[in-house]
Amino acid sequence: METIQTKVLVVGAGPGGYVAAIRCGQLGLETTIVEGHRHGGTCLIKGCIPSKALIHAGTRYEEITAHAKKPAMGISVDEAPRLDFEQTIAWKDGIVDKLSSGVSGLLKRHKVNQVFGWANFINAKSCVVATENGDLKIEAEHVILANGSEEVSLDFLGDSEHIISSTEALSLSEVPKHLAVIGAGYIGLELGIAYRKLGAEVTFIEAADSILPQYDAELTRPVSNWLKKNKITMHMSCKAMAVKDLAKGVELCFENAEGNEQTINADKVLVTVGRRPNTKNWGLENMCLDMDGDFIKVDQYCQTAMRNVWAIGDLTGEPLLAHKASAQGEIVAENIAGNKKPFDPISVAAVCFTEPEIVSVGLSPSEAEAAGYEIKIGKFPFAAIGKAMTMQAGKDGGFVRIVARKDNHLILGIQAVGAHVAELSNQFALAIEMNACLEDLAGTIHVHPTLGEATMEAALQGLGHAIHI
Ligand code: FAD
């Protein structure tokens, strides 16, 4: 078997692994990356990017359909639009292909050796990769594990080709007439809403009594209102039990909130009940690493229990987000190069690309109080922001909310809900990372007209003197 030695071996070319490898290359470290599927990982191939493409296509289709039904802003469309969903998926695949080959190009530019195949570890610093040219043994001084995560499935539902995961939901050949979604977390909601906009009837089965249970009701209310207005059926406090194939589609049986069995018929059943770290079938058991529940245990430098073995991204625990994985990837490269740096963000922004969007950075009011802070809250509605009105984005009940310490006005958290608020998330994260106070946000001249003015006004409102309300 051919054997190669490398200073750094990265396993997995998702947003954690490929960023780590590029930064290692920039720092002059001889680096090899192994990927068993495609460059870009879950995020780029079957997660963040394709889901946002589908959401965008759904929104566009919904808007044109609305104009066909009822002219608005002086724009009328004579006929209802037609949807060629295979073309939509091909367009989405085109974006994915371009970005995936872009990652490969970036790795090449930074002189990262790329190996294709599944890595199997025989000990902590060596693995064997089954490449198309035969087995290749790689021995490394440093190993960065970035193997990512996979969907949790519900095997007890039974066996049916109509039960799909988020991966399959991103590549269907047609829009299902009726899509049942098990799990109203952010992935289920993003996809369910996209399919509703594309014309599917959508029903959710959720075990908890609220959608997006990690967020408070004030923040999720505009999303709940959209679901209601758009006739999405929500079965809350319900447990999916079984799926039975019918001549066409399936029957989904669930236990309802009263504890009784209930059934619905659907064309597809999308299971989005969470993700778990990819810890099986690649020799993790041969590496003598410590675990933290299902995840690989790491310290603040992303160092595992084994010297010079590092782990990043979804493999290491919550939050399972691409930007967290990438940030850890950069930190680990720096640490290997001898620039000791901890992974110590004050907060990692989380965004739900629902309708409308939700952003949360740092502590919510109840989390801040539970942590013992006396707080002040500044809140400002998009209904009073001119730019929101010009974008028809002011009527969905959206707002920006800032949570600050009462004594010195240090900002502890910022949340927002509303159309396009994902674009405000970096401003929020920066404010917290820089230890900004209400006065800093209120005193920053915000461009008019922009949605970001709501952030400044929320800070002013927290100080007791918002201008436009
Ligand atoms: P991954 O992206 O999972 O990459 C791991 C890679 O390792 C894979 O390519 C895999 O093939 C490879 N691999 C694993 N084991 C081996 C092995 N033994 N040998 C060779 N290769 C191996 N996050 C966000 O921040 N924003 C979003 O909007 C968002 N939307 C999402 C939507 C969906 C539908 C899904 C499913 C996820 C979404 N996520 C989102 C989550 C995001 O995709 C993950 O947090 C992110 O991809 C994790 O990056 P990672 O590098 O840790 O692992």
Side-chain angles (χ1 to χ4, degrees):
M1 185 184 342
E2 188 192 348
T3 302
I4 59 168
Q5 269 95 28
T6 184
K7 170 94 178 170
V8 183
L9 165 64
V10 183
V11 181
Y18 85 72
V19 168
I22 289 172
R23 188 68 191 122
C24 284
Q26 290 172 341
L27 290 162
L29 302 165
E30 185 205 21
T31 304
T32 297
I33 191 164
V34 183
E35 171 55 56
H37 183 225
R38 288 182 68 189
H39 285 120
T42 303
C43 172
L44 217 153
I45 308 298
K46 49 187 179 178
C48 327
I49 295 293
S51 62
K52 273 69 221 180
L54 203 65
I55 289 168
H56 177 70
T59 303
R60 181 66 71 87
Y61 181 70
E62 184 206 31
E63 281 169 4
I64 302 171
T65 307
H67 280 277
K69 278 190 187 145
K70 190 173 166 211
M73 293 177 273
I75 302 171
S76 55
V77 175
D78 289 343
E79 275 180 45
R82 285 185 307 278
L83 180 70
D84 180 342
F85 196 54
E86 284 188 9
Q87 287 296 316
T88 309
I89 295 296
W91 164 78
K92 178 269 295 177
D93 287 343
I95 298 169
V96 169
D97 291 348
K98 198 166 174 190
L99 289 170
S100 180
S101 55
V103 167
S104 188
L106 287 170
L107 290 166
K108 197 169 168 192
R109 185 168 347 139
H110 292 94
K111 302 193 170 42
V112 176
N113 177 29
Q114 301 176 45
V115 174
F116 300 92
W118 202 249
N120 251 304
F121 278 82
I122 40 185
N123 62 46
K125 307 276 173 54
S126 336
C127 70
V128 174
V129 185
T131 75
E132 59 179 25
N133 300 322
D135 284 356
L136 172 71
K137 187 171 177 197
I138 307 176
E139 295 171 347
E141 223 174 282
H142 290 266
V143 173
I144 304 177
L145 297 172
N147 306 56
S149 62
E150 60 184 7
E151 298 108 352
V152 172
S153 57
L154 297 178
D155 295 339
F156 61 82
L157 287 179
D159 205 14
S160 166
E161 58 167 315
H162 299 296
I163 301 176
I164 57 171
S165 67
S166 60
T167 302
E168 288 146 334
L170 291 166
S171 288
L172 291 177
S173 55
E174 57 182 6
V175 174
K177 274 208 173 57
H178 184 186
L179 176 69
V181 186
I182 302 176
Y186 88 92
I187 293 179
L189 281 171
E190 286 185 9
L191 294 173
I193 289 173
Y195 273 106
R196 179 72 193 117
K197 289 180 174 184
L198 288 162
E201 181 191 341
V202 177
T203 302
F204 277 89
I205 311 290
E206 166 58 54
D209 60 4
S210 61
I211 60 165
L212 300 166
Q214 70 274 40
Y215 301 112
D216 55 86
E218 187 177 43
L219 210 50
T220 57
R221 192 166 302 120
V223 179
S224 295
N225 289 344
W226 190 94
L227 298 172
K228 206 167 169 187
K229 194 169 151 208
N230 286 275
K231 300 190 172 46
I232 292 187
T233 309
M234 306 300 294
H235 291 286
M236 308 305 291
S237 308
C238 293
K239 289 191 195 98
M241 292 164 66
V243 168
K244 195 170 82 188
D245 272 331
L246 302 175
K248 198 173 175 309
V250 289
E251 180 187 81
L252 167 63
C253 175
F254 60 95
E255 185 187 295
N256 67 19
E258 290 74 44
N260 302 322
E261 268 185 40
Q262 200 174 326
T263 57
I264 54 167
N265 290 3
D267 297 285
K268 296 281 176 206
V269 177
L270 167 60
V271 178
T272 49
V273 292
R275 297 186 62 80
R276 65 162 154 255
N278 235 331
T279 49
K280 305 255 175 347
N281 303 324
W282 53 267
L284 172 61
E285 59 285 1
N286 301 326
M287 298 181 81
C288 299
L289 308 184
D290 287 348
M291 302 300 287
D292 179 6
D294 287 342
F295 298 100
I296 291 182
K297 188 172 179 183
V298 290
D299 65 11
Q300 58 178 332
Y301 301 97
C302 298
Q303 167 88 50
T304 67
M306 175 66 71
R307 210 170 134 255
N308 293 348
V309 176
W310 315 77
I312 58 176
D314 285 6
L315 204 51
T316 60
E318 296 287 348
L320 306 191
L321 292 171
H323 40 288
K324 184 210 72 173
S326 299
Q328 288 181 322
E330 281 192 62
I331 291 287
V332 167
E334 297 289 348
N335 282 313
I336 293 174
N339 311 322
K340 203 163 185 201
K341 274 192 183 175
F343 176 67
D344 188 21
I346 303 182
S347 69
V348 178
V351 176
C352 303
F353 291 82
T354 40
E355 186 64 65
E357 294 170 353
I358 296 179
V359 175
S360 180
V361 188
L363 303 180
S364 67
S366 57
E367 286 166 344
E369 279 168 347
Y373 292 108
E374 265 199 86
I375 58 167
K376 241 180 174 335
I377 294 176
K379 192 176 154 194
F380 197 85
F382 284 109
I385 293 289
K387 182 65 187 287
M389 287 184 206
T390 67
M391 298 167 72
Q392 301 178 291
K395 285 195 186 154
D396 54 16
F399 57 84
V400 174
R401 182 179 72 192
I402 305 181
V403 185
R405 275 173 64 154
K406 196 171 183 182
D407 55 356
N408 59 9
H409 300 176
L410 180 77
I411 296 171
L412 300 169
I414 311 182
Q415 294 85 37
V417 54
H420 312 291
V421 293
E423 300 303 329
L424 303 181
S425 58
N426 300 315
Q427 179 194 24
F428 298 169
L430 182 68
I432 294 194
E433 197 64 39
M434 301 293 287
N435 284 322
C437 299
L438 289 175
E439 287 79 355
D440 296 315
L441 282 187
T444 302
I445 299 175
H446 280 61
V447 170
H448 178 71
T450 59
L451 295 179
E453 286 174 281
T455 313
M456 176 180 71
E457 289 278 14
L460 284 168
Q461 204 266 337
L463 295 169
H465 48 90
I467 300 293
H468 289 95
I469 204 158

